[in-house]
Amino acid sequence: MSRSVILKTFGVLIVGALIFLPLTLNRYGIYIMSLWAIMTIAAMGLNLTLGYAGQVSLAQGAFVGLGAYTVAIMMSAGFGFWLPLLIAIVITFAVGWLLGYPALRVQHHYLAFVTLAFSTLVFLVFRNEEWLTKGIYGIMGFKRPSAFGVSFQKPIEFYYFTLGALVLASAFMAWLVRSPWGRAFVALRENPVRALSLGVDTRRYTLMAFAIGSAMGGFSGALYAPLVEFVDPTPFTLALSLNLLMMVIVGGSGFFFGPFLGAAIGVLLPEWLRFAHGWYLIIYALFVMILLIKTPTGILGIIENMIAARKTRAASAARAAASAGLDKV
Amino acid sequence: MMNFINLILSGLATGAIYALVAIGFTLLWQTSQTINFAQGEFVMVPAFFVLATLNLGMPLPIALLVGLALSMLVLGVLFKNLLVDPMLRHGVLPLAICTMALSIFLKETVKEVYSAEASPFPSFLPEGNLIFFGANISIQSVSIFVFAICAVLALQAFLARTSTGRQMQATAQNPYVAKLLGVPVERMIMYTFLINAALVALASFLISPVYLAKFSAGETLGLAAFIAAIVGGFNQIRGAIVGGLLLGIVDNLAAAYISTQYRGAVPLFLLIAVILFRPQGLMGRAEERTV
Amino acid sequence: MTKPVLSVREIVAGYGEMTILNGTTFDVMPGTITTVIGPNGAGKSTVFKTIFGMLKARSGSIHFKNSDITNLIPRKLLAQGLCYVPQGRNIFPELSVLHNLELGGIAASAETNIAQRVDSILERFPMLRRKGQQQAGTLSGGEQKLLEIARSLLLDPQLMLIDEPSIGLSPMMVQEVFSIIKELRAKGVSILMIEQNARSALEISDDGLVLELGRTRMQDRAQALLNDPRVGQLFLGGVIEENTA
Amino acid sequence: MTRTLMEVQGIRKKFGGITAVDGVSFEVREGEILGIIGPNGCGKSTLFNCILGQLPPTEGRVMLDGDDVTGLRPSAMNRRGVSRTFQLLQVFPQLSVRENLVLAGQEHKGTMFTRLFGPRDAGLTPDANQMIDFFRLGHLAEEKAGGLSYGQQKLLDAAMAFMAGPRMVLLDEPAGGVNLTMLGHLEERLRAMNTERGATFVVIEHNMDFVMRLCTRVVVLAEGKKIAEGTPAEVRANQAVIDAYLGH
Amino acid sequence: TNAPIKIINVGELSGPGATVGTNFKNSADLAVAEINAKGGILGRKIEIVHFDTQTNPGVARALVQKAIDENPYAIMGPGYSGSVKVSAPLAAQAGIAQVMGGEAAELTQLGFNTLFRTSFGQQSSMPKIAKYIAENLKAKNVAVIWVNNDFGKGGRDMVTKELTARGVKVTADISTEAGQADFAADVVKAKSGNPDAIFIYLNEEESARALRELKRQGVTVPLVGETTLIGQKVIELAGDAANGARGHIGLTVDAPNDNLKAYGKKFQEKYNYIPDHNGIKGYLGVYMIKAATEKMGKVDQKGLPDALKGLTILAAKEPGILMDLTIDKNGDLDRDSFLAFVENGKQVVKETLPKMSK
Ligand SMILES: Nc1ncnc2c1ncn2[C@@H]1O[C@H](COP(=O)(O)OP(=O)(O)OP(=O)(O)O)[C@@H](O)[C@H]1O
Ligand SMILES: Nc1ncnc2c1ncn2[C@@H]1O[C@H](COP(=O)(O)OP(=O)(O)OP(=O)(O)O)[C@@H](O)[C@H]1O
Ligand SMILES: [Mg+2]
Ligand SMILES: [Mg+2]
């Protein structure tokens, strides 16, 4: 009981910090917090595809890009924000579904390389199809959204907007992974052959895992565009996909709160390290390596192991007691 | 026709470079199930060991030896002991991520410590061109080509023919069983990483005169090597050669006859097609299992 | 009285925080077959893993002949004349059957002629010769197990640990494996074997051992155990409520 | 009364040059317990894989309730009420024993979408709890399945196959590694399901005592071909079977 | 007060633009050190801080925001046009001068009156090149080989426009990738258009590789480019193959100018390599700020943009500015430039092209 109290207090503190801390930050701090919220959404999507369903994807960055471009192109054409947002989600869902098909044939590193290729192809399209994307010059001149007469123009306003989106996305995710689907996704990861023979339609679940994960990426991209108010191809290279992957693994893949932590490390840590000037990336890379060496299952993996160890100790004691109770026949 | 020969020859030359990088990549996979995202950087770094030694006033042959030794130490022993050992049993992914971080680390360190500029790198091979079918091709390229082929043949024979090679493969497939059969698992893994380090060092010495020594040189190279390895067949060393050469040629033909803007896309389509229709790669053998 | 070839004393071992063996103690006499029986999850396999150094003993000691072998690594144990056939599937699926077999000889001393031994084993298991070039992973379940057993015969062990050799083997193959085990005994090799197929195993054994919840509950002559009504009820298929933690 | 539930017609399976199953035909009658025996590598497991769509047969057909179900995917077969166990261990190692069982039971009601909006533990029927108790897995319910002993995993695998209340179960060496006392329980359970619910079983097994006690009919394979079929007693007396399989 | 004057450089210190940004940063540091050694600006030392955009416009925008929050005297960078475009509105809104390295023509047309170039800009160099190709070389057909990033694309668009306007046809339009090693296919493609001249707009390393490949395939038509084709660095890397290449150069360390040479020497002493044109941008930028401040006679953050506008700085008075230059009302630079050839492994200036406003 006391543990749940601790957890609840901790939760309230974090939520409180997310709501009130930005009020004390300068515009840059707020921007970083918004970026964290947006990256968390994308990482959450990848966590579904990779962490729960076990489908290695190196294309999440491309989906963020697709979402961002959809919104930027449509907003520039005067569609407001909400319709483009919806379309971005629908498009990334559909493309994600299609990208799932290779996963039906190949797994693990093979799948990783198919998705890697896809992500590079998407980058080339962003860069080369100038008629649509303005190519390397990028798209500018669209504004942050407003809703119900409330504008999200100012940094702090837009931050609360992204925070709201994050809450929405987390709620959806929490519900999804706790539904029977969540268990079926895990079954895909753990033992697809057995799952199939238990009636789990592994094809559809695989496609769904890709589609939903990608749509979360698209959602995140749709928020990224108005955050930066400029979209060009450079942020959506393979590096972004790799970064998101790193966030998921470092936070703890397959754990609900993994992406929150991972994104915090991926987005905030480089900021905190800026004092180190040119060395900050070196320190960051070192930090990630040391962290992974210490906790190869991610930060939450370690915490879970600790909790499991405590439970096991109890079971172990019970077994020892029972064993001692047996007399020699 | 002349153009075509030119394209093929120069594709082969570039392809040989890819192949050289891909070999180590395949080797690491085949003998320790490690996907090394820093493989490109591994090829970039030894050149800087050599340059640093040259700056101390050493002659080139000494500098090359020092470079080789430092590579074996840093990219072989330290890499294995500090990174791979603690992570190997946790599966492919965390280690792969770790190598991504390592690639950032190596790149940025070279940039901060040495320079962000491309530096010319002395070649230990004679300059000059040979004439093939009327087209010029540099001695450098021919040497890379020959060296890549020799490296593959030697490694292939080593893995397939010698007991040590077989033990290395056994270790990769199932370290648990290997251990209980008495395979010195630790030592086998160490061999793998030492061989890889030696390979990347040699690749670095051969390639850097063409590619220049630059902190970012590994990026394109690493990616191309990935693709080459997969296309050729991840579980066969000789796949790296086929994959590398094919990639070099396809890249050139695509740029010449399809589109330069999308030249990067064509090898990727090749990659996707190969993975989907022949996942074991052109040279690889299928992995089948009964349930 | 002869000295035991293997003596296990008060072993405590387990996985992570979980302690499975709470002071397991028993002896194996030279040149005998000893069969271990016990319910699923009793810790039988765990004992074997601990003896063979795949799992760390937290306390207690294991002596082989005259030396202390507690927590030695498998390579050292192989050199001393132990060998181990674990439960489940333990092959290199992507290597050929022949290569799998040859890898069994890694720990052999320099003077043993592995090629010749491989040949004589292939003589005994013609199936393995027939499928020599096939990838081991494509063998049937029983064939994989046979491959594993065959592989363990490449060395000259003095003590063999075999974990449920009969799983997945056809009756004829079980007979074959049991007769190999008996031949080994005739050559002076000691065998420690786990079997669920307890009756047939005890019939060829000299000694028997009942393990439950990580402790030795009974140790006696095999014949005595076979005749003991309590064992019959508990582990030979008699029906009484059994004891699980 | 004894309707034909499944008919296997001339199944052949080749792997490259190897013919693992060579034109095997037999039928499974509703409510029977059919044994399949044969030497190692004679194609029993491969036959199961072909029947259940895990592998496409090179030739031949599988009829279920008179419908051609050849090449249906295992999940579809499963939803038609045919489930199976595996010879080698096949559980979900990182999930707890209970989650393994819930998963085994959840995919049978409604469509994928109604399940999404249905209760989380739709698969946790009273059956599941009963199953846990029955297989003596109660004290392990919250353990990760990957940490179970061999025999325990084997039992869990069998329990999963029974979760959705199948009409027909194909068991691939269910007795391997299972303690004899437990095996007695398993046998009773199969018999009970057979008589009470009319469930049909096809059992591959090398434990001849088990086969003799349990099965009503036995099919014998050797080198991919059917060499005998009949009651356990008939089969046991058949010289070809003795030569190929039983030995002396 | 005597507090140091704070300048914040937001540059591409990692990612694809790292070489660009590092040159810019090092040179800016060099300039700051020189100025501080001589007592600073109006007696006050300069303090320069560097932020890394990771070559990502989103990050660049955020960092310019952060820089503005720190209320600096002036902002330097970024070097990539996209990053400049997203960040310029912020600086304009805050009224802080932004002295950047972007080359794209449109940057100074967007109407931000706090934005200043440190280089020539493609809108001034490309017309000169197009004119040379059309009038001096009398070329009818031209192949354009360019690097497909923000820098190369801008140049390619500008030169294509200028060439077309002069009746020259672009018969092969060849995009290449940054870091590309093999130019065989590109050269084959260029040849297939039967050009009378080839315009090459790549980074230094790729220029060298392209030149080698052109030589290998026996191409003899004139090769025209910018600083990035005929700089000392390219010559060093390309060897013989560079001979005969020619082009327009705004500023390079090899220009026939003592100030430039001195700068090149100092840089090389400090950093051990030859700076490229991005280096000169960073160096100039700091001196532009210095000159404008001294003209105002006070350190006035809000007055700096106006002071920079229309400013003419003479190298005789301020050697750090390297060559006389005038800043126009859009923030573009105007000054002399050169036409140079590579002969026998040396850059030889053939002609000085005067300031446009003269
Ligand atoms: N890798 C593991 N991690 C955690 N617990 C384990 C592991 N392996 C076994 N156990 C636990 O240890 C106990 C004993 O397992 P062990 O494999 O020794 O049993 P066993 O007597 O060999 O049973 P069986 O007859 O089923 O093979 C079991 O309760 C099991 O849950
Ligand atoms: N993928 C494959 N490639 C090649 N041969 C295969 C493949 N799968 C199975 N086989 C072969 O098919 C034959 C039948 O295998 P199967 O697993 O069906 O045997 P089984 O009757 O179940 O044997 P056991 O009783 O040992 O389990 C074996 O000889 C095996 O080597
Ligand atoms: Mg066991
Ligand atoms: Mg089988």
Side-chain angles (χ1 to χ4, degrees):
Chain A
M1 188 210 83
S2 77
R3 212 176 68 232
S4 88
V5 170
I6 294 173
L7 275 180
K8 276 192 189 125
T9 325
F10 195 65
V12 169
L13 278 178
I14 297 245
V15 171
L18 287 179
I19 294 175
F20 296 108
L21 186 67
L23 293 173
T24 69
L25 294 175
N26 59 19
R27 281 171 295 187
Y28 178 69
I30 294 168
Y31 175 91
I32 292 297
M33 293 289 288
S34 312
L35 190 62
W36 167 78
I38 291 171
M39 285 299 134
T40 302
I41 295 174
M44 240 191 308
L46 181 59
N47 193 30
L48 180 74
T49 318
L50 172 85
Y52 286 92
Q55 309 295 313
V56 187
S57 165
L58 294 180
Q60 190 69 350
F63 287 105
V64 176
L66 278 175
Y69 264 100
T70 308
V71 165
I73 291 168
M74 290 188 69
M75 283 182 85
S76 303
F79 278 103
F81 176 72
W82 301 101
L83 181 66
L85 172 71
L86 190 71
I87 303 275
I89 293 176
V90 170
I91 286 182
T92 46
F93 184 90
V95 177
W97 179 277
L98 292 179
L99 188 64
Y101 276 93
L104 301 178
R105 281 189 67 92
V106 294
Q107 285 280 304
H108 308 301
H109 51 281
Y110 294 112
L111 183 56
F113 287 110
V114 173
T115 54
L116 179 150
F118 170 79
S119 113
T120 312
L121 289 176
V122 168
F123 170 82
L124 287 176
V125 170
F126 289 159
R127 192 194 65 184
N128 294 345
E129 298 310 312
E130 235 172 295
W131 58 275
L132 183 66
T133 64
K134 299 235 173 81
I136 196 81
Y137 296 137
I139 302 174
M140 236 180 127
F142 50 89
K143 284 273 163 282
R144 289 176 181 172
S146 59
F148 316 115
V150 185
S151 140
F152 299 114
Q153 199 55 41
K154 291 218 203 81
I156 190 78
E157 294 163 354
F158 193 74
Y159 167 72
Y160 286 123
F161 181 68
T162 56
L163 192 63
L166 177 61
V167 169
L168 211 70
S170 322
F172 168 72
M173 198 55 145
W175 171 72
L176 185 68
V177 300
R178 294 177 53 81
S179 78
W181 279 31
R183 199 182 290 114
F185 287 146
V186 175
L188 284 187
R189 174 189 82 193
E190 292 283 302
N191 191 342
V193 171
R194 190 64 180 115
L196 193 60
S197 76
L198 289 172
V200 179
D201 190 338
T202 47
R203 299 171 68 99
R204 271 207 246 165
Y205 278 112
T206 306
L207 297 177
M208 266 300 168
F210 264 97
I212 299 175
S214 307
M216 299 277 279
F219 183 41
S220 149
L223 298 168
Y224 183 85
L227 172 71
V228 183
E229 295 177 288
F230 174 70
V231 170
D232 79 337
T234 49
F236 309 115
T237 53
L238 185 59
L240 179 58
S241 294
L242 295 184
N243 234 327
L244 287 165
L245 181 63
M246 184 135 76
M247 291 177 193
V248 170
I249 300 287
V250 166
S253 97
F255 294 98
F256 182 77
F257 286 106
F260 293 81
L261 259 176
I265 290 171
V267 174
L268 302 181
L269 193 66
E271 298 310 320
W272 290 334
L273 289 174
R274 291 229 185 254
F275 70 90
H277 300 291
W279 294 81
Y280 83 98
L281 272 178
I282 300 178
I283 299 176
Y284 173 67
L286 261 181
F287 175 83
V288 170
M289 283 190 280
I290 292 172
L291 194 70
L292 275 173
I293 290 169
K294 294 279 170 227
T295 69
T297 47
I299 299 174
L300 290 178
I302 286 298
I303 294 177
E304 200 213 45
N305 284 350
M306 272 161 23
I307 295 170
R310 187 195 285 190
K311 256 201 301 195
T312 312
R313 260 191 302 258
S316 180
R319 186 175 164 109
S323 170
L326 291 179
D327 37 24
K328 201 142 182 161
V329 183
Chain B
M1 190 57 209
M2 191 56 224
N3 282 344
F4 189 75
I5 293 174
N6 251 321
L7 287 174
I8 298 287
L9 282 182
S10 114
L12 286 174
T14 318
I17 294 179
Y18 297 158
L20 207 47
V21 186
I23 295 169
F25 191 70
T26 318
L27 178 77
L28 283 195
W29 173 257
Q30 223 192 312
T31 56
S32 69
Q33 309 268 305
T34 304
I35 295 190
N36 184 13
F37 274 92
Q39 188 74 4
E41 279 66 36
F42 273 35
V43 176
M44 174 274 292
V45 166
F48 284 92
F49 288 147
V50 172
L51 287 181
T53 318
L54 284 176
N55 285 348
L56 294 177
M58 299 281 174
L60 182 62
I62 304 274
L64 289 177
L65 283 180
V66 171
L68 180 65
L70 281 177
S71 306
M72 309 257 286
L73 178 69
V74 175
L75 307 177
V77 180
L78 291 186
F79 177 50
K80 185 230 160 217
N81 284 348
L82 297 183
L83 274 194
V84 180
D85 278 353
M87 313 210 55
L88 204 51
R89 73 203 155 81
H90 292 279
V92 178
L93 213 49
L95 183 53
I97 302 283
C98 219
T99 60
M100 281 176 204
L102 179 65
S103 96
I104 297 178
F105 176 79
L106 291 175
K107 250 187 325 212
E108 295 297 318
T109 307
V110 167
K111 195 178 85 192
E112 284 305 310
V113 175
Y114 202 88
S115 144
E117 291 298 302
S119 314
F121 187 87
S123 171
F124 62 92
L125 295 166
E127 293 267 335
N129 291 327
L130 302 174
I131 312 274
F132 273 95
F133 303 103
N136 279 325
I137 184 149
S138 71
I139 294 179
Q140 194 87 36
S141 303
V142 178
S143 325
I144 293 175
F145 190 88
V146 171
F147 179 79
I149 302 249
C150 292
V152 165
L153 291 180
L155 272 177
Q156 187 110 16
F158 173 69
L159 287 179
R161 298 274 149 74
T162 68
S163 164
T164 311
R166 202 98 35 66
Q167 291 181 47
M168 284 166 67
Q169 281 176 288
T171 302
Q173 279 188 32
N174 196 336
Y176 184 87
V177 180
K179 190 172 165 199
L180 64 84
L181 291 181
V183 174
V185 169
E186 286 285 307
R187 203 184 322 146
M188 291 304 136
I189 296 180
M190 185 55 98
Y191 286 163
T192 307
F193 284 84
L194 285 179
I195 295 176
N196 181 54
L199 266 179
V200 292
L202 287 172
S204 183
F205 304 158
L206 283 168
I207 293 170
S208 300
V210 185
Y211 265 75
L212 308 177
K214 185 172 183 185
F215 74 98
S216 58
E219 289 169 11
T220 27
L221 219 46
L223 202 61
F226 273 143
I227 298 177
I230 297 269
V231 167
F234 221 30
N235 52 19
Q236 284 285 304
I237 301 272
R238 65 169 183 268
I241 279 281
V242 176
L245 296 182
L246 190 65
L247 197 65
I249 293 174
V250 163
D251 179 47
N252 264 347
L253 295 182
Y257 300 118
I258 300 178
S259 149
T260 46
Q261 290 230 31
Y262 279 107
R263 83 183 293 172
V266 176
L268 297 175
F269 280 118
L270 179 70
L271 173 77
I272 294 178
V274 166
I275 290 183
L276 292 186
F277 297 107
R278 202 179 150 77
Q280 70 272 33
L282 297 178
M283 288 286 123
R285 58 183 141 60
E287 298 168 13
E288 282 183 88
R289 270 165 216 197
T290 46
V291 273
Chain C
M1 200 185 138
T2 43
K3 277 190 65 179
V5 62
L6 178 79
S7 89
V8 174
R9 288 284 165 275
E10 292 294 330
I11 286 293
V12 177
Y15 307 89
E17 293 291 329
M18 184 76 181
T19 309
I20 299 296
L21 304 181
N22 292 296
T24 314
T25 300
F26 62 88
D27 288 329
V28 175
M29 289 300 162
T32 63
I33 301 175
T34 306
T35 292
V36 183
I37 59 174
N40 293 122
K44 304 181 295 297
S45 303
T46 308
V47 172
F48 276 31
K49 286 185 220 166
T50 315
I51 296 174
F52 206 68
M54 303 301 284
L55 204 61
K56 213 170 137 52
R58 299 199 192 119
S59 69
S61 72
I62 303 166
H63 283 265
F64 177 61
K65 294 191 290 188
N66 290 320
S67 54
D68 187 345
I69 57 161
T70 324
N71 292 335
L72 285 191
I73 58 167
R75 199 147 46 92
K76 297 242 166 77
L77 297 171
L78 284 162
Q80 295 208 12
L82 265 81
C83 90
Y84 170 44
V85 184
Q87 200 171 14
R89 170 171 124 154
N90 297 281
I91 52 160
F92 304 105
E94 285 161 38
L95 296 186
S96 73
V97 169
L98 276 182
H99 285 170
N100 263 279
L101 202 53
E102 283 161 8
L103 279 166
I106 296 261
S109 57
E111 59 267 23
T112 30
N113 185 343
I114 290 297
Q116 191 196 328
R117 290 209 173 186
V118 168
D119 218 55
S120 71
I121 283 169
L122 291 179
E123 216 47 51
R124 186 124 206 189
F125 299 102
M127 178 278 294
L128 293 181
R129 191 191 290 282
R130 221 168 43 243
K131 305 197 168 173
Q133 299 308 325
Q134 209 170 314
Q135 275 185 38
T138 65
L139 293 183
S140 81
E143 289 166 343
Q144 292 185 12
K145 197 73 213 172
L146 275 182
L147 171 59
E148 246 183 276
I149 294 171
R151 187 176 63 187
S152 71
L153 299 176
L154 272 181
L155 302 175
D156 268 326
Q158 291 159 42
L159 173 66
M160 236 178 140
L161 311 172
I162 313 183
D163 197 341
E164 302 210 31
S166 75
I167 292 184
L169 295 191
S170 71
M172 242 156 102
M173 277 303 149
V174 175
Q175 284 164 27
E176 175 73 12
V177 169
F178 279 6
S179 71
I180 290 176
I181 289 175
K182 282 190 282 190
E183 282 166 34
L184 286 172
R185 172 177 58 184
K187 282 197 261 173
V189 180
S190 322
I191 314 277
L192 180 61
M193 163 167 79
I194 298 176
E195 256 308 331
Q196 291 296 0
N197 201 343
R199 206 175 291 277
S200 7
L202 284 174
E203 267 160 14
I204 66 160
S205 303
D206 303 289
D207 291 318
L209 185 62
V210 179
L211 212 67
E212 207 177 340
L213 285 174
R215 285 187 42 198
T216 314
R217 280 204 77 191
M218 305 168 93
Q219 175 158 27
D220 208 336
R221 304 294 297 168
Q223 208 52 45
L225 286 182
L226 266 175
N227 296 334
D228 191 318
R230 292 166 306 180
V231 178
Q233 283 176 332
L234 274 170
F235 306 113
L236 297 183
V239 189
I240 64 161
E241 249 340 281
E242 102 198 60
N243 221 330
T244 31
Chain D
M1 141 95 211
T2 50
R3 191 168 75 89
T4 300
L5 184 58
M6 177 182 277
E7 208 174 327
V8 175
Q9 302 172 343
I11 291 284
R12 189 182 309 270
K13 178 68 195 177
K14 287 191 174 182
F15 297 103
I18 306 163
T19 307
V21 181
D22 198 357
V24 172
S25 306
F26 61 89
E27 55 171 41
V28 184
R29 296 182 203 124
E30 183 148 40
E32 76 171 333
I33 303 182
L34 175 69
I36 296 185
I37 60 173
N40 292 121
C42 70
K44 303 180 295 296
S45 301
T46 308
L47 181 63
F48 266 21
N49 288 339
C50 290
I51 291 175
L52 284 160
Q54 214 99 38
L55 289 173
T58 318
E59 249 174 60
R61 287 199 303 171
V62 180
M63 312 290 288
L64 182 69
D65 298 323
D67 300 340
D68 188 346
V69 293
T70 327
L72 274 193
R73 289 155 42 73
S75 53
M77 287 299 278
N78 186 269
R79 259 171 282 142
R80 283 175 173 244
V82 184
S83 69
R84 76 172 294 185
T85 72
F86 288 82
Q87 179 174 10
L88 298 171
L89 298 179
Q90 297 281 359
V91 295
F92 301 101
Q94 292 294 322
L95 291 183
S96 71
V97 168
R98 191 188 303 282
E99 286 282 293
N100 265 276
L101 288 170
V102 175
L103 180 69
Q106 79 175 24
E107 294 292 319
H108 294 267
K109 291 176 213 84
T111 65
M112 198 163 151
F113 280 92
T114 56
R115 276 194 293 285
L116 177 57
F117 298 99
R120 169 171 169 76
D121 283 341
L124 191 61
T125 51
D127 268 6
N129 289 322
Q130 211 196 330
M131 205 70 77
I132 289 174
D133 292 342
F134 179 79
F135 284 104
R136 303 293 185 278
L137 295 170
H139 64 295
L140 299 167
E142 305 306 327
E143 298 274 317
K144 283 186 177 168
L148 298 186
S149 80
Y150 188 95
Q152 288 166 338
Q153 291 195 36
K154 204 80 209 184
L155 289 172
L156 176 58
D157 193 17
M160 285 200 283
F162 300 151
M163 271 299 293
R167 291 190 293 157
M168 180 173 177
V169 187
L170 279 62
L171 300 142
D172 197 346
E173 301 196 20
V178 174
N179 171 262
L180 284 180
T181 312
M182 197 60 232
L183 193 59
H185 291 311
L186 181 64
E187 200 180 312
E188 269 170 48
R189 179 77 185 190
L190 292 180
R191 215 173 267 125
M193 282 166 67
N194 180 250
T195 47
E196 287 162 23
R197 293 225 317 260
T200 309
F201 295 95
V202 182
V203 188
I204 296 178
E205 190 44 72
H206 289 302
N207 183 333
M208 284 312 288
D209 295 340
F210 185 76
V211 172
M212 293 297 153
R213 283 198 303 270
L214 190 65
C215 297
T216 41
R217 214 156 53 88
V218 177
V219 169
V220 189
L221 301 186
E223 296 183 1
K225 293 195 174 69
K226 185 167 87 175
I227 58 165
E229 184 173 351
T231 63
E234 283 165 9
V235 163
R236 183 163 231 173
N238 184 321
Q239 191 56 42
V241 178
I242 293 173
D243 290 344
Y245 182 62
L246 294 170
H248 304 281
Chain E
T1 65
N2 252 334
I5 300 172
K6 184 167 188 180
I7 297 176
I8 297 180
N9 169 33
V10 179
E12 290 75 9
L13 300 180
S14 65
T19 311
V20 172
T22 309
N23 262 295
F24 192 91
K25 163 184 180 280
N26 286 346
S27 288
D29 280 342
L30 180 65
V32 168
E34 279 172 20
I35 293 170
N36 284 346
K38 290 192 186 140
I41 303 176
L42 302 175
R44 286 172 65 180
K45 296 254 150 88
I46 310 175
E47 180 199 345
I48 186 160
V49 180
H50 304 281
F51 294 164
D52 175 18
T53 70
Q54 298 160 23
T55 324
N56 176 338
V59 180
R61 180 189 151 105
L63 288 173
V64 168
Q65 181 67 263
K66 177 178 158 91
I68 291 169
D69 287 348
E70 293 185 12
N71 198 25
Y73 180 56
I75 292 172
M76 292 185 61
Y80 268 48
S81 304
S83 297
V84 173
K85 227 161 42 168
V86 278
S87 57
L90 301 174
Q93 200 182 11
I96 297 179
Q98 182 176 13
V99 184
M100 54 82 183
E103 300 263 355
E106 60 167 338
L107 293 177
T108 45
Q109 327 277 296
L110 295 172
F112 300 117
N113 55 4
T114 51
L115 194 63
F116 299 91
R117 274 192 215 279
T118 48
S119 68
F120 229 35
Q122 287 153 352
Q123 85 290 356
S124 0
S125 56
M126 291 307 158
K128 292 189 184 179
I129 291 169
K131 183 158 167 268
Y132 174 77
I133 292 176
E135 292 171 15
N136 299 36
L137 297 178
K138 310 237 178 302
K140 293 275 168 292
N141 298 324
V142 173
V144 177
I145 302 180
W146 48 286
V147 53
N148 200 336
N149 62 18
D150 160 292
F151 159 76
K153 182 74 168 35
R156 173 257 184 201
D157 287 357
M158 199 71 199
V159 87
T160 306
K161 193 176 116 205
E162 295 291 333
L163 284 171
T164 318
R166 287 173 173 79
V168 182
K169 236 170 71 199
V170 174
T171 50
D173 180 35
I174 300 157
S175 134
T176 70
E177 302 295 330
Q180 185 173 319
D182 185 353
F183 284 83
D186 310 277
V187 172
V188 164
K189 259 197 131 155
K191 284 201 300 190
S192 70
N194 278 324
D196 306 315
I198 301 179
F199 175 69
I200 302 170
Y201 201 57
L202 305 170
N203 296 322
E204 278 89 346
E205 296 148 49
E206 288 84 14
S207 290
R209 294 189 188 126
L211 286 171
R212 283 193 195 210
E213 185 62 29
L214 284 158
K215 173 155 188 248
R216 194 175 73 81
Q217 293 197 29
V219 175
T220 50
V221 299
L223 308 174
V224 188
E226 247 276 357
T227 317
T228 53
L229 182 69
I230 53 175
Q232 196 54 45
K233 185 151 205 168
V234 183
I235 298 173
E236 192 177 290
L237 298 174
D240 289 353
N243 287 341
R246 63 198 74 181
H248 168 261
I249 42 182
L251 281 178
T252 67
V253 272
D254 340 300
N257 174 309
D258 291 339
N259 288 337
L260 275 167
K261 290 217 167 85
Y263 153 74
K265 212 169 131 244
K266 272 182 281 185
F267 188 99
Q268 225 175 330
E269 267 163 22
K270 188 161 175 192
Y271 299 108
N272 226 337
Y273 66 93
I274 306 173
D276 63 10
H277 64 290
N278 294 298
I280 297 174
K281 289 184 199 172
Y283 190 77
L284 270 187
V286 178
Y287 277 101
M288 281 163 60
I289 294 168
K290 173 168 184 267
T293 311
E294 283 168 352
K295 183 185 119 190
M296 288 188 290
K298 59 179 179 199
V299 179
D300 175 7
Q301 182 200 45
K302 290 283 176 295
L304 185 61
D306 284 338
L308 279 163
K309 258 180 220 156
L311 182 64
T312 296
I313 310 167
L314 300 177
K317 255 184 75 196
E318 177 57 89
I321 213 70
L322 305 176
M323 279 169 60
D324 297 353
L325 67 76
T326 303
I327 304 169
D328 75 8
K329 64 172 192 333
N330 290 332
D332 282 321
L333 292 192
D334 192 6
R335 70 177 167 224
D336 293 350
S337 59
F338 313 97
L339 183 69
F341 278 58
V342 180
E343 283 171 3
N344 295 322
K346 282 250 163 336
Q347 194 187 79
V348 180
V349 172
K350 290 275 153 131
E351 211 181 311
T352 302
L353 310 172
K355 268 192 191 181
M356 292 198 293
S357 54
K358 255 187 210 158

